[in-house]
Amino acid sequence: MFIRKVFRRRQRTAVRVAVVGLVGTGALALAGLAGGGAASADPLTCTAANGHNVIRTDGQGGCGAKAGPGSTAHAEDHSRKGTAVASSNTGGNATAINLQPGTAALSGAVSGGTGYSVTTGPGGLAITQARQGGTSLAVAGWGGTAYSGEYGAQCTGSFAAAIDTNTGQACIGSGGIWLSTPRPQ
């Protein structure tokens, strides 16, 4: 009985380490792709800090950034046909980046939290809700939905990856192959 418990504990730890490694690797790869491409037009960019609010639209694209006192928010729509919105308060830092048409990147951060939301494929939806000094990351690709926040990490669709440090939850997947950390009982 004792050996089974130790083996299960090690197995769960190995799965968690693998998921965190995959999410980190995926995020770094996507950040490299985002930085290496050349857009045909400058992105719509919205940046706000310390109680300011910025909203920009152009054709079918838009961005918005709202930051409370002591907070920062940054949003970019590279497609000019999607949405990027970042909102922060009470020392939070939120970043939302939309890279493809027909997608939405939504990032929120409060109480010193840091949120990163990135969409990389058409039809994607990435949502973060960082809080209490933690970090939330959500990346959504073609038709994927990624959520990271108070309710852990949830991934669905064609491609999605998410991690939330406050809950210790993570997920990553593409098509029929999905990995995630076990949910607490």
Side-chain angles (χ1 to χ4, degrees), residues 59-144:
Q60 297 174 337
C63 67
K66 181 178 181 181
S71 304
T72 61
H74 179 78
E76 295 179 8
D77 174 29
H78 289 258
S79 71
R80 299 276 177 138
K81 292 184 180 180
T83 306
V85 177
S87 177
S88 61
N89 205 358
T90 57
N93 300 296
T95 302
I97 299 173
N98 173 47
L99 300 174
Q100 294 292 325
T103 61
L106 311 171
S107 182
V110 295
S111 303
T114 302
Y116 298 99
S117 183
V118 181
T119 52
T120 64
L125 174 62
I127 302 170
T128 59
Q129 296 177 330
R131 71 239 166 267
Q132 300 167 344
T135 300
S136 290
L137 167 70
V139 179
W142 288 80

Side-chain angles (χ1 to χ4, degrees), residues 5 11 14 21 23 26 31 48 52 64 72 81 92 102-103 111-112 140 147 158-159 162 179-180:
K5 284 183 180 181
Q11 198 173 27
V23 170
H52 289 91
T72 61
K81 292 184 180 180
T103 61
S111 303
Y147 167 83
S158 296
F159 172 77
L179 296 172
S180 65

